[in-house]
Amino acid sequence: MRKILIKTEHCNFDEYYKKIYAKRWQRLRESILLPVVSVSYNEGLASPYYLDRASILAALSLRLPKDETASLILDACAAPGGKTLVLASKMGKETKLLANEYSSERSRRLTAVLDRHLAPDLRSRVLVSGFNAAAAARRHSELGRFSSVLLDAPCSSERHVIQSKTALEKWTPARPRCLAQRQWSLLSAAFLMLESGGSLVYATCSINPEENDGVAGRLLNKYGNKKRSGESESYCIMDKPDFPEGEETEYGRLILPDTAEGAGPLYVARFKKSN
């Protein structure tokens, strides 16, 4: 995707995204306004769960520990729980999953989804927590704690903005900039909490390159060379998702509904922590 060099300080929503997507914007806008295309996911679940096909691909992109390894994986911003269910259905019998959601209201929704869709034996290995994932890496005990980390970060969610007259009127170019800062805090913390050799997936439902490749590139810029993390030297390696859907970006893949039969929007980048 081309880099945007045009000043956007005084743009409204449509002007801003037209400068990014040019002639494609009208077609993309129309596709985002259409209802979400949900599919049924029931592999390993007690009852099916309906979610965007792109969300399934994002969750499946996380490389999980081997079945025989006693491990703990983290879904850092887990609500409403669809990706958590996909991860739970794929993890080995010796693995536990920590589904974290900072918002108490969203955490209650997450718990209800897990209780409904997971069989008791699998549900017992999925724990729910409510800590601030952006601040967790400040605690030494959290460094290198998780074998794999999925971060589906809070984002601009243009699908929701574009469908709300109030949200459109309140939108300014400052919104994606502020969210990108929050996303960076979450992603850098997720990397520090990842053990050496572990897999990290960063995902958003935004179409904004500042929140997508902009944040992913910042992680590689900071940790792409050997950096001290905890007690050992570690560094970040780009490990692009291997699903064919969507289009390739500099650091990941972007699934957009105008070319993916209604799936998305969803951006996915994957990294490996090397030692």
Side-chain angles (χ1 to χ4, degrees), residues 184-220:
W184 164 244
S185 297
L186 288 163
L187 184 57
S188 57
F191 179 76
L192 293 173
M193 290 190 287
L194 184 67
E195 71 177 22
S196 293
S199 176
L200 168 62
V201 163
Y202 171 66
T204 81
C205 59
S206 175
I207 62 174
N208 194 309
E210 187 172 1
E211 298 179 50
N212 295 338
D213 269 356
V215 177
R218 189 171 176 181
L219 184 74
L220 286 166

Side-chain angles (χ1 to χ4, degrees), residues 161-179:
V161 173
I162 207 171
Q163 293 177 348
S164 167
K165 181 180 178 181
T166 301
L168 275 173
E169 290 174 347
K170 291 182 177 179
W171 186 93
T172 73
R175 175 179 168 83
R177 285 201 302 271
C178 291
L179 282 163

